[in-house]
Amino acid sequence: MASKKGKTGKSWQSRLTAQADGATAKLLASIDVDRALWGYDIAGSMVHARMLRKVALISAKDLKAINRGLTAVAEDLSAGVLACPVELEDIHMVIEKALIDRIGEPGRKLHTGRSRNDQVALDLRLWARDAADELTEGVRVLQKAFVAMAQAQGRIVMPAYTHTQRAQPIVAGHALMAYVEMLRRDVERLADARKRINVCPLGAGAVAGSSLPIDRRMTAALLGFSAVAANSIDAVSDRDFLAELCFACTMLAVHLSRWAEDWILYSTTEFGMLELSDDYCTSSSMMPQKKNADTLELIRGKAACTLANLTGIVTLLKGLPLAYNRDMQDDKRFAFAAVDAMRQSLPVATGIVATSRFRPARIAAGLDAGFLDATALAEYLVNHGTAFRQAHQLVGRLVAQAERLGKTLAQLPLETLREFCGRVDKDVYNYLGPARVVAHYRPEGAGGTKQLDQQIREWKKKLAR
Ligand code: ARG
């Protein structure tokens, strides 16, 4: 028997008589956005149908018809030939209608024991789980590129900066490995978010579950979830997992923006430390000589997108009463945009790292500026019995004198060093100059060659897994 529709023409609202006008239909619809969830929606429906069969709510024949119908609908969706009119509101109703059009009566049984509220929560969790996995893989590939660069080009000595002022010398690989550590936390954050994503809401129904004997554990297990949501109200109102995913994207985007800013600076004529591949630069429509780091700038800019969308989703949820509310339909826009921004950035970031070259000659030529060895000299004095605060003062005055003379610390004669610093031996010259300083770094995690080799060894092992 064909179902009686109300005047609305929507199979799911026979109670209502109103006809939505065009603007209202558009406001109600989310099909333009949630169409992207079709694969998850169909996967969830197939598992739901299998469960309905197991608990004898549908027949074996029904199940066969539903599977055949859903497979055909999936083919149409993937080929882009299935009509998705706004009147059907969302991907769930588009698929259900297409299924019923194809297979008739058995299609009308698919939604047994289910609501769009637990259905959309399920689709979103399946999507978010894949997104977290995909981003994790993207971050790991980027980490590998940094490690490879650190290994191939990381031993040249360069300044480390604080306040964007020259601070102490390091091997360049040490700065590269700093990004690898930042990205380690992004991988951990995604893994942590994934734990709370991977909980199955299916079976919560609209809000309170169902009087039908549905088997939530079966559907959860078949869909690869590690747990069943414990409370049906929470299951349909929870979008924390999307907010957490957006935050993980935001932190990742902030990290990428800091790296991009460093490399934009390093690749300027003023810094002259890094050569970017032409493949990742653009020129100017007016100035023929230009080589602009547009890709790095766009990656830097993506942090605005992720942060805006994190703010959006948290704001959307703020003050919402239990449980599902239609406001939540817009959650997808925020989550999709934040994830897409990182999907775009990560492979390009990897390409930039894989093709950029330090400019050793330029870096070496400028390395004597800025007294990068001043802290090492103070520490030499400490090793010879001077209190650090005293040593700091003595070297500070010596630096001022060297600046007046236009010399580096290593260029000052022993008498001058002794005049300012007291007890200094000839061996002091083994500790002056950026390259010698780098060779003397002692603690783990410091900016020297030994420590770099150690970091590279550990990360190669970790990333091979
Ligand atoms: N399109 C809706 C969304 O994305 C699906 C859930 C609709 N639920 C409802 N009770 N109207 O949130």
Side-chain angles (χ1 to χ4, degrees), residues 242-254:
L242 288 184
E244 289 187 51
L245 183 60
C246 287
F247 177 67
C249 287
T250 301
M251 226 39 245
L252 171 60
V254 166

Side-chain angles (χ1 to χ4, degrees), residues 27-49:
L27 178 69
L28 286 168
S30 55
I31 184 66
D32 58 323
V33 177
D34 61 30
R35 203 178 185 289
L37 293 173
W38 69 262
Y40 301 109
D41 199 73
I42 287 185
S45 285
M46 283 185 161
V47 164
H48 181 66

Side-chain angles (χ1 to χ4, degrees), residues 151-302:
Q151 187 164 33
Q153 308 181 51
R155 287 167 166 268
I156 58 175
V157 177
M158 69 173 247
Y161 296 83
T162 70
H163 314 267
T164 327
Q165 305 288 341
R166 291 181 162 225
Q168 289 177 287
I170 52 167
V171 288
H174 192 53
L176 298 174
M177 296 308 290
Y179 304 124
V180 176
E181 291 297 329
M182 285 160 109
L183 296 170
R184 175 212 296 264
R185 295 191 293 275
D186 294 312
V187 168
E188 289 173 358
R189 244 184 299 280
L190 286 163
D192 191 50
R194 194 190 194 281
K195 283 185 213 151
R196 282 177 293 280
I197 289 169
N198 205 27
V199 173
C200 190
L202 197 61
V207 64
S210 168
S211 59
L212 297 169
I214 58 172
D215 184 346
R216 297 192 60 202
R217 295 195 174 221
M218 176 183 172
T219 45
L222 286 174
L223 291 164
F225 286 104
S226 51
V228 164
N231 179 299
S232 65
I233 302 177
D234 182 49
V236 289
S237 60
D238 176 20
R239 293 291 185 272
D240 297 7
F241 63 98
L242 288 184
E244 289 187 51
L245 183 60
C246 287
F247 177 67
C249 287
T250 301
M251 226 39 245
L252 171 60
V254 166
H255 288 157
L256 294 182
S257 79
R258 295 181 69 171
W259 158 71
E261 170 65 9
D262 275 342
W263 280 27
I264 289 165
L265 281 177
Y266 292 174
S267 64
T268 56
T269 307
E270 283 70 12
F271 275 78
M273 287 162 44
L274 190 75
E275 188 69 42
L276 302 171
S277 157
D278 284 3
D279 293 348
Y280 296 98
C281 296
T282 62
S283 196
S284 153
S285 61
M286 181 170 172
M287 301 167 283
Q289 86 287 8
K290 287 286 263 174
K291 176 174 171 180
N292 295 327
D294 288 35
T295 51
L296 285 170
E297 292 173 314
L298 284 159
I299 290 171
R300 184 175 59 184
K302 291 293 178 216

